[in-house]
Amino acid sequence: MTNEVFIQCRGLSKTYKKGETTVTPLEALDLDVPRGEFLALMGPSGSGKTTLLNLIAGIDSPTTGSLTIGGRELGKMSRGKLTEWRSRHCGYIFQLYHLVPILTAYENIELPLLLEKELSRKDRKEKIEAALDLVGLSGRADHRPSELSGGQEQRVAIARAIVADPELLVADEPTGDLDRESAKQILDLLQRLSGEMGKTIVMVTHDSKAADAAHRTLHLEKGQLVDSGLIGMDASSAGGEI
Ligand SMILES: Nc1ncnc2c1ncn2[C@@H]1O[C@H](COP(=O)(O)OP(=O)(O)OP(=O)(O)O)[C@@H](O)[C@H]1O
Ligand SMILES: [Mg+2]
């Protein structure tokens, strides 16, 4: 972990309006995440965890407040720029893997690379093989998701999330559907991605054992952090001592 603030949220709010009803899943949230941190987010159902992940991943835009990642303010980007930013800088890992059932593990991992027009087939192959090797599934490249265990499917999904070498990974209950042993493998892998490869990881989990794998755990309740999300002695300044 470094002492550079990589993700900075200030007064971050999200409001959804449907007819007369207004829902505010996130309200005036302040959060600093240092580059290379593995952060766990916990909180009851409906507390805004997925909403926050989707903002951090650039899938959704804040209603008010600022969200800066790697020095770039996401709220100021156009939709097109945000999509481009996301494909370069953020990998998303889901609870239920979201693999394409008719594609092999290799082809699933290849998907994000097909957006990179300048990559040759050979370059793609090198990256996919490195990602498969990293998640320990070199021998399963030709298997379809239905031919893999849940833990293996999640490892393919992680390989897909990291194949384009993003600095940031967000994971929404990545071990929620797995047995203890498979969950441990996934958490070990996330720890290695942060510890050895310097990825910044924000992981939502309901499981305090899973949260123990992270550097820090924060709790959301009704759209607000129960603990201070800020780091350092001077909470108002980004980039302070951790
Ligand atoms: N697109 C949307 N439109 C309207 N309301 C939404 C939308 N997305 C989320 N919400 C509402 O925002 C609140 C927070 O939802 P969110 O999915 O962030 O919760 P969560 O903490 O991830 O819960 P869970 O643990 O069940 O996954 C909920 O009340 C939800 O109904
Ligand atoms: Mg959720």
Side-chain angles (χ1 to χ4, degrees):
M1 209 194 319
T2 67
N3 63 3
E4 172 200 346
V5 174
F6 182 59
I7 303 174
Q8 185 189 63
C9 307
R10 288 294 179 274
L12 194 68
S13 300
K14 180 72 195 176
T15 300
Y16 294 109
K17 281 205 175 84
K18 231 176 209 165
E20 298 291 290
T21 328
T22 306
V23 187
T24 304
L26 278 186
E27 206 166 355
L29 185 129
D30 293 333
L31 171 65
D32 288 335
V33 184
R35 189 184 282 277
E37 182 173 44
F38 182 2
L39 175 69
L41 276 178
M42 299 188 76
S45 183
S47 58
K49 303 181 299 295
T50 299
T51 303
L52 178 57
L53 275 196
N54 288 345
L55 293 181
I56 291 174
I59 287 174
D60 213 344
S61 299
T63 309
T64 56
S66 70
L67 169 59
T68 308
I69 302 186
R72 300 171 74 182
E73 193 172 337
L74 266 52
K76 294 208 168 129
M77 288 185 200
S78 65
R79 212 159 245 286
K81 276 266 171 281
L82 202 55
T83 305
E84 193 184 314
W85 176 87
R86 190 167 66 233
S87 68
R88 293 241 160 86
H89 298 280
C90 181
Y92 209 122
I93 301 161
F94 304 91
Q95 178 175 358
L96 296 174
Y97 331 126
H98 289 205
L99 299 176
V100 181
I102 57 164
L103 300 182
T104 63
Y106 184 100
E107 291 164 341
N108 267 285
I109 298 166
E110 188 174 31
L111 287 174
L113 298 181
L114 297 174
L115 298 168
E116 306 256 345
K117 298 279 181 284
E118 66 281 9
L119 272 186
S120 68
R121 199 185 170 86
K122 182 169 162 285
D123 291 340
R124 289 205 303 271
K125 185 165 185 276
E126 270 174 26
K127 284 177 187 286
I128 297 162
E129 284 175 352
L132 270 167
D133 185 47
L134 190 82
V135 301
L137 286 176
S138 296
R140 294 285 195 279
D142 296 330
H143 288 233
R144 294 210 160 74
S146 62
E147 298 161 342
L148 297 168
S149 69
Q152 288 170 339
E153 282 189 83
Q154 190 60 298
R155 282 190 278 149
V156 171
I158 292 175
R160 179 183 58 186
I162 59 170
V163 73
D165 202 23
E167 309 131 275
L168 170 64
L169 290 173
V170 299
D172 202 349
E173 303 197 39
T175 59
D177 211 49
L178 299 176
D179 62 74
R180 211 17 96 206
E181 185 49 38
S182 306
K184 188 177 175 307
Q185 284 182 354
I186 296 300
L187 294 164
D188 287 350
L189 189 53
L190 293 176
Q191 278 183 324
R192 276 181 55 209
L193 289 169
S194 126
E196 292 169 25
M197 301 181 72
K199 308 282 183 205
T200 306
I201 303 177
V202 182
M203 173 182 77
V204 164
T205 183
H206 275 121
D207 177 3
S208 58
K209 280 230 169 59
D212 286 345
H215 293 123
R216 178 168 64 137
T217 301
L218 295 175
H219 298 82
L220 266 174
E221 253 172 54
K222 295 185 183 150
Q224 296 189 310
L225 285 171
V226 178
D227 0 44
S228 168
L230 300 177
I231 52 173
M233 302 300 288
D234 176 8
S236 65
S237 75
E241 296 267 310
I242 299 169

